[in-house]
Amino acid sequence: MNPRWLTWARALQAIAQNGLTYARDPFDVERYQAVREVAAEMFAYHTGEPVERLRALFEQEVGHATPKLDVRGVVFQEGRVLLVRERSDGGWTLPGGWVDIHESPRAAVEREVREESGYETRAVKLLALYDRDRHGHPPHPFHIYKLFFRCEIVGGAPASSVETDGVGFFSLERLPPLSLSRVTAAQLERFFQHEQHPDWPTDFD
């Protein structure tokens, strides 16, 4: 469960973003900007992040507020799963990232796996669609849905990227330190179970 402050701060940010999207009165615009500032200060107070960074992050969000989409590729080879090491925090994760505008989820996950690991893959099944808030990840400013796709290697070779500096296959018993903002051990265990039971349906919240 999210801490209460995170639920409140996100709600304030969404109210501000939606208000700024539809408001026409200049006084209403000022009020919604003030609400957005309160949300940024709440996040900064509870996370230690600079308020300037959070303010800039929120100012980039325009239009009606909706959850963001994060895709992850689940690639197995000889009973081990493909993980990449994030330069940002040194933790390991399934390759993936945000879905871009005008990009299908399948195209997004295949692109992310290629960019972060060097492998060309084909997405063959949606294993899980999770609400990030329900799966033990650390707090994040935005509400996120995570889509995990089973992918098969069709080419390429391991390679680092601007975001990753390690590529490897790991067994469930010998997982490296994980980037918990992106993937958890419980999620990986579930996907190993899916690998043993390919007829299982998609998990979803």
Side-chain angles (χ1 to χ4, degrees):
M1 281 295 285
N2 283 332
R4 296 293 295 277
W5 70 263
L6 180 60
T7 300
W8 293 332
R10 278 195 192 152
L12 289 173
Q13 160 57 16
I15 291 168
Q17 183 176 329
N18 292 341
L20 290 169
T21 297
Y22 301 112
R24 295 296 177 264
D25 185 282
F27 295 104
D28 284 340
V29 170
E30 287 184 5
R31 294 185 187 99
Y32 287 123
Q33 289 172 336
V35 172
R36 184 173 62 192
E37 180 67 17
V38 171
E41 291 179 2
M42 287 178 69
F43 274 106
Y45 178 82
H46 287 283
T47 65
E49 291 284 337
V51 69
E52 296 81 9
R53 174 179 147 340
L54 290 160
R55 183 184 300 125
L57 187 67
F58 292 158
E59 287 174 355
Q60 294 173 8
E61 298 297 312
V62 296
H64 193 88
T66 60
K68 292 183 175 293
L69 296 181
D70 172 43
V71 292
R72 297 283 152 181
V74 184
V75 182
F76 283 99
Q77 188 176 78
E78 298 178 351
R80 297 180 298 166
V81 69
L82 174 67
L83 299 178
V84 295
R85 185 169 57 203
E86 289 284 336
R87 293 183 187 272
S88 61
D89 63 10
W92 291 78
T93 182
L94 298 168
W98 300 125
V99 177
D100 290 335
I101 299 300
H102 303 304
E103 187 176 41
S104 71
R106 173 196 291 273
V109 73
E110 291 173 351
R111 171 184 56 78
E112 286 286 348
V113 173
R114 180 179 67 254
E115 290 177 353
E116 295 196 347
S117 75
Y119 287 108
E120 297 282 347
T121 62
R122 180 171 60 94
V124 296
K125 183 181 179 181
L126 177 62
L127 297 179
L129 195 165
Y130 292 147
D131 181 337
R132 185 183 184 279
D133 291 345
R134 298 170 181 264
H135 292 271
H137 297 280
H140 192 283
F142 299 115
H143 190 190
I144 298 167
Y145 288 169
K146 298 179 69 66
L147 288 72
F148 295 89
F149 287 88
R150 175 75 165 89
C151 297
E152 295 177 347
I153 295 176
V154 296
S160 297
S161 71
V162 295
E163 295 180 283
T164 58
D165 62 1
V167 181
F169 287 87
F170 298 88
S171 67
L172 182 60
E173 295 75 24
R174 302 193 66 178
L175 292 176
L178 298 176
S179 177
L180 295 178
S181 181
R182 297 168 175 85
V183 72
T184 67
Q187 289 166 347
L188 290 175
E189 181 177 3
R190 180 63 174 173
F191 302 142
F192 272 92
Q193 293 171 351
H194 267 280
E195 179 68 1
Q196 297 299 314
H197 301 276
D199 58 325
W200 279 5
T202 300
D203 297 342
F204 60 90
D205 291 324

